[in-house]
Amino acid sequence: MTAIQQPSHRTAAVLLVPLLAGGLAALALGVYGRAHTPTGFAVGPAGFSAALPMKAWLTTGAFALAVVQVVSALSMWGRLGIEIPAGVHRWSGRLAFLLTIPVAFHCLYALGLQYDVPRVLAHSLLGCFFYGVFTAKMLALPRRDAPHWTLPVLGGLAFTALIGLWLTSSFWFFTAVGVKV
């Protein structure tokens, strides 16, 4: 039987800056979203009939790319028995993140952090959490001395947050409003 190892002080020090920065990013987005007076109108939903369809489709694209992220990560860690080039993981992550930027900008600028409706509160908090975890993951990524579980845990949390964001936005939109472009 193996004893459970306690995290060392070195482990805590390696992860302190990424986790602190991620927490501050999430907090800053939440504070800004709550303190900022929402404009109530969208900024540039080019190619879409309105802001909500834009957000639903871009989030759906990010969701699909996040699935590619999970599959390619499993491949990189040797869990699938097939080899997917690391570039697929990097570029699907970059593209997924880029798709979230106009969505997050619209949410913060036009709507702010809302708490009146449980679904919207969950969505607002998940959005802040996603960007916080993403920040922590990106800062932990170049750390070769980070514990081996760091990237899978942070990546899994980012994926989970993105799934929650998709469920509380795109899925809700497509089922409540309908499929629109």
Side-chain angles (χ1 to χ4, degrees), residues 52-138:
L52 287 179
M54 173 200 69
K55 290 169 49 178
W57 285 107
L58 291 180
T59 304
T60 298
F63 170 80
L65 289 166
V67 172
V68 173
Q69 282 278 285
V70 169
V71 171
S72 60
L74 289 170
S75 171
M76 288 187 329
W77 289 88
R79 301 285 193 250
L80 292 182
I82 59 169
E83 189 174 326
I84 297 174
V88 170
H89 185 77
R90 287 187 203 104
W91 280 101
S92 62
R94 290 171 182 155
L95 291 173
F97 179 75
L98 286 175
L99 289 177
T100 68
I101 297 295
V103 176
F105 178 77
H106 175 267
C107 288
L108 283 171
Y109 183 75
L111 306 172
L113 191 144
Q114 298 181 14
Y115 56 86
D116 299 340
V117 176
R119 176 191 64 80
V120 178
L121 171 62
H123 183 75
S124 294
L125 295 176
L126 282 167
C128 295
F129 180 73
F130 170 77
Y131 281 101
V133 169
F134 181 82
T135 299
K137 183 181 179 217
M138 291 301 103

Side-chain angles (χ1 to χ4, degrees), residues 5-16 18-19 77 140-154:
Q5 292 182 342
Q6 296 297 321
S8 69
H9 293 293
R10 179 157 168 67
T11 299
V14 167
L15 295 179
L16 182 63
L19 293 176
W77 289 88
L141 190 59
R143 300 298 311 249
R144 299 293 176 220
D145 53 348
H148 70 280
W149 50 262
T150 303
L151 294 178
V153 167
L154 293 175

